[in-house]
Amino acid sequence: MLPNGPVVHQQLMHSYQAVQADLEAVRGQIASKGAETEELGSDRQDTLLSLAQYYLPELTEQAIEQTWSEIRGDIRRVLLRKQEHQSRVELQFGDASQRQLELETSLEAVDKRLDEAQQRMQELSQQLTAQLAADESFSQLAEKAGAAEAALERAEGRLAEVKQDAEQKLPAYEQSSLFQYLYERGLGTEAYRSRGFTRRMDRWVGKLIGYHQARKSYEFLRDTPRHMERIVVEDREDLETVLKELERQRDRAAESIGLTVANNEIEAARKEREQVLEKLDKTRLQADQLRTELLELEDSRGPYYRDAVELFRGMLEQMDDGSLADRAKQTPEIRDDQIIARLQGLESEIGKIGTEVEQRQQQIRDFDRQLQEIGRLIQKFRAAGYESTRSQFQASLDIVGALDRYRKGHSTIESVWVQIRRSQQFGPTPMEQVSNVAAHPLTQVLVHAMATAASSAMSDHARRAGNRRAHRNRRR
């Protein structure tokens, strides 16, 4: 059994959720590294404070408070701004995620209602077909339509033959100077007025080229297509009259059994589905943007971190590493050397963690990109109506494998979409299998009912008459 739309849609959703899980796992790893970095940073701050206290033994507590409290206050204000911003984005992201979940649920409900409405429509269409086929008046009209279609097809075929014949043979008459000379003078008609020698010569030339028979053939080739076109127009009008009456009877019967209402329900469900999809697209885009922003805020080396580092660097600029090392050499004690060594060790540890965190952040950016691209793929899948139960896919389609290759960097998300699109097709309804007309449901009912109601001799003609009407309505 071929996989259908809901099955493939579920596979896509599982892949989307797998990326979400991977992203959350890496975020947890970064959070752990963040705690470790925070602890090292706290040690570093304590070390810097110890170093400052060691090099400023003559300063009062008030002086120390003025120097270090001011710097710590600036850094804390930066951190507070980041925390406030992060809390605000987390709330917005939570709201967007909840709206996305609600819209996903709404889409499932709309899809279910649409499938049920289409099933109801199919049942009513079959009921209407049987009812019309059993109606004597409709059967007589269907028979008449079949006969009119047969006559029209014969006339159209004859018209095509005479047009082709005229296109092939008329040029020979039109390019014959002798024939055109005699024809323009009206030889053989009451319009001919020449006398004497000219008359005798014209008759001699006419006999020489077989003019009288040629004139009849020429006029037949020239005039017959116009006559046939009038006959075709009349036959089409006759068929149109019968088809209009058939449609009128169909519409009246459709109204009586509720098929018109059912069709309106389908249209309303489709319109609602488009609205839900539009909202879902906007919400998903908003959630993606908020998620990206949140990842930047969670990044320990994001914009706020750079602001804080810039402040801290400004403080360190007052005493660079070389100055600190030179100062330590000038003292006989080894305590300041130990503090400098401790500070350098902490900076080395923080650098290593920073490298690890940077690698994890790159993983997060990759997972976030995959999440957005798979999300867009799912939206395209839904927008195309592929999640419908009528949507079928070739057994060779391997969505899980295709997305796994994409996540490993061996293909693109566009290539996955091409595989999906190429392997997909909509299964025909029973009505479409009979009529093979991609038209309005009521048109399909009419075609099927006409073919069923007409006699076996006229069934095919009746079906083609209905199809002719359907194609004309689509062109309109």
Side-chain angles (χ1 to χ4, degrees):
M1 183 176 179
L2 297 178
N4 62 9
V7 171
V8 177
H9 180 259
Q10 191 63 35
Q11 292 174 338
L12 290 171
M13 291 302 299
H14 283 162
S15 295
Y16 184 87
Q17 292 160 2
V19 178
Q20 280 184 317
D22 289 344
L23 189 149
E24 291 302 323
V26 176
R27 285 176 67 182
Q29 295 171 0
I30 287 181
S32 175
K33 291 296 179 181
E36 190 175 343
T37 302
E38 184 177 353
E39 184 177 352
L40 289 171
S42 177
D43 290 345
R44 184 174 183 274
Q45 290 180 9
D46 293 341
T47 303
L48 286 171
L49 181 58
S50 298
L51 184 62
Q53 289 171 339
Y54 179 81
Y55 281 124
L56 295 172
E58 73 280 5
L59 292 177
T60 66
E61 183 64 26
Q62 182 178 3
I64 296 174
E65 181 68 16
Q66 288 175 350
T67 300
W68 287 92
S69 296
E70 182 179 357
I71 293 173
R72 284 200 301 271
D74 289 341
I75 294 176
R76 283 181 182 137
R77 278 191 291 273
V78 173
L79 180 61
L80 182 61
R81 291 203 310 272
K82 174 187 174 181
Q83 290 172 339
E84 290 175 346
H85 188 179
Q86 185 171 341
S87 296
R88 190 166 59 251
V89 174
E90 284 175 347
L91 288 174
Q92 293 173 348
F93 178 67
D95 292 341
S97 298
Q98 181 61 33
R99 287 198 303 274
Q100 184 174 357
L101 181 60
E102 291 171 353
L103 287 170
E104 294 275 5
T105 303
S106 297
L107 181 63
E108 291 179 3
V110 172
D111 284 340
K112 181 179 180 181
R113 191 162 68 252
L114 181 58
D115 285 341
E116 290 174 350
Q118 288 174 334
Q119 179 62 33
R120 175 62 176 161
M121 181 72 175
Q122 185 63 46
E123 293 171 356
L124 290 175
S125 296
Q126 293 173 348
Q127 178 183 339
L128 177 60
T129 299
Q131 180 176 325
L132 290 174
D135 184 86
E136 183 177 354
S137 174
F138 186 89
S139 298
Q140 292 175 353
L141 285 172
E143 187 78 10
K144 190 174 180 180
E149 173 67 21
L152 177 56
E153 289 174 358
R154 288 193 298 271
E156 288 174 337
R158 179 58 179 156
L159 174 59
E161 291 176 1
V162 297
K163 278 186 174 181
Q164 184 179 10
D165 203 29
E167 289 173 358
Q168 292 175 349
K169 297 179 180 178
L170 277 177
Y173 293 99
E174 293 169 347
Q175 294 168 11
S176 172
S177 56
L178 290 176
F179 175 78
Q180 288 296 320
Y181 163 77
L182 296 176
Y183 190 79
E184 290 174 0
R185 293 178 63 81
L187 181 64
T189 68
E190 295 179 357
Y192 186 75
R193 294 288 185 269
S194 297
R195 294 287 186 271
F197 177 75
T198 300
R199 188 183 186 92
R200 289 195 298 274
M201 287 302 298
D202 287 348
R203 285 180 174 176
W204 180 78
V205 171
K207 184 176 181 181
L208 180 67
I209 66 173
Y211 169 75
H212 293 291
Q213 183 61 39
R215 179 170 63 83
K216 292 179 182 179
S217 298
Y218 172 72
E219 290 178 346
F220 175 84
L221 292 171
R222 184 194 61 186
D223 299 336
T224 301
R226 290 198 295 268
H227 297 321
M228 289 301 301
E229 284 175 352
R230 287 195 292 270
I231 293 173
V232 167
V233 169
E234 291 173 358
D235 287 350
R236 284 175 180 167
E237 290 175 350
D238 291 342
L239 177 58
E240 187 76 6
T241 300
V242 178
L243 289 173
K244 284 182 178 179
E245 178 59 24
L246 284 166
E247 286 181 341
R248 190 186 68 78
Q249 291 191 16
R250 175 207 62 192
D251 293 343
R252 186 174 61 211
E255 187 73 28
S256 67
I257 67 172
L259 192 143
T260 304
V261 173
N263 185 68
N264 292 338
E265 290 176 355
I266 290 177
E267 294 302 322
R270 285 174 176 165
K271 184 176 181 180
E272 183 179 352
R273 184 179 185 277
E274 291 175 359
Q275 293 173 347
V276 172
L277 278 175
E278 183 178 357
K279 291 179 181 177
L280 191 55
D281 281 339
K282 292 180 180 179
T283 302
R284 182 190 56 77
L285 179 59
Q286 181 187 16
D288 287 343
Q289 292 171 342
L290 289 170
R291 185 190 298 106
T292 301
E293 185 177 0
L294 189 58
L295 293 176
E296 290 179 352
L297 290 170
E298 291 176 343
D299 186 356
S300 60
R301 294 181 177 272
Y304 285 98
Y305 167 77
R306 290 191 290 270
D307 291 345
V309 166
E310 189 63 26
L311 288 172
F312 201 72
R313 187 181 64 82
M315 181 200 69
L316 293 179
E317 282 178 350
Q318 299 175 21
M319 296 186 71
D320 58 31
D321 291 345
S323 298
L324 291 172
D326 291 341
R327 186 70 173 269
K329 291 177 183 179
Q330 296 173 8
T331 61
E333 296 85 357
I334 63 171
R335 180 164 173 73
D336 55 347
D337 298 278
Q338 293 173 337
I339 294 174
I340 292 297
R342 170 64 176 161
L343 181 62
Q344 292 173 342
L346 289 171
E347 289 176 346
S348 176
E349 288 297 320
I350 291 174
K352 290 179 182 178
I353 292 176
T355 300
E356 289 186 49
V357 169
E358 193 169 320
Q359 293 172 349
R360 296 289 187 273
Q361 289 292 348
Q362 182 58 49
Q363 284 183 305
I364 280 183
R365 285 190 287 272
D366 291 340
F367 288 146
D368 183 55
R369 174 181 54 79
Q370 292 175 5
L371 202 61
Q372 294 190 39
E373 290 194 346
I374 294 177
R376 284 191 288 271
L377 175 67
I378 292 172
Q379 290 304 113
K380 289 169 69 173
F381 187 92
R382 292 167 176 161
Y386 287 177
E387 82 279 21
S388 168
T389 53
R390 285 185 56 232
S391 180
Q392 297 178 347
F393 296 84
Q394 296 175 6
S396 59
L397 178 64
D398 180 11
I399 283 295
V400 176
L403 288 175
D404 184 62
R405 288 189 293 276
Y406 155 70
R407 292 194 62 192
K408 291 178 179 177
H410 300 323
S411 67
T412 64
I413 200 69
E414 188 58 32
S415 67
V416 178
W417 172 243
V418 170
Q419 291 180 51
I420 291 174
R421 193 176 61 226
R422 286 180 176 174
S423 66
Q424 189 276 341
Q425 64 179 358
F426 285 102
T429 65
M431 298 298 296
E432 291 170 339
Q433 292 174 347
V434 175
S435 64
N436 196 26
V437 179
H440 192 281
L442 290 180
T443 302
Q444 298 176 12
V445 168
L446 179 65
V447 173
H448 185 40
M450 288 171 59
T452 305
S455 64
S456 58
M458 286 297 168
S459 180
D460 288 341
H461 293 299
R463 178 181 291 109
R464 290 200 292 273
N467 287 338
R468 183 191 295 271
R469 177 71 170 176
H471 294 319
R472 181 173 179 179
N473 288 340
R474 282 206 303 276
R475 287 196 300 270
R476 289 174 178 172

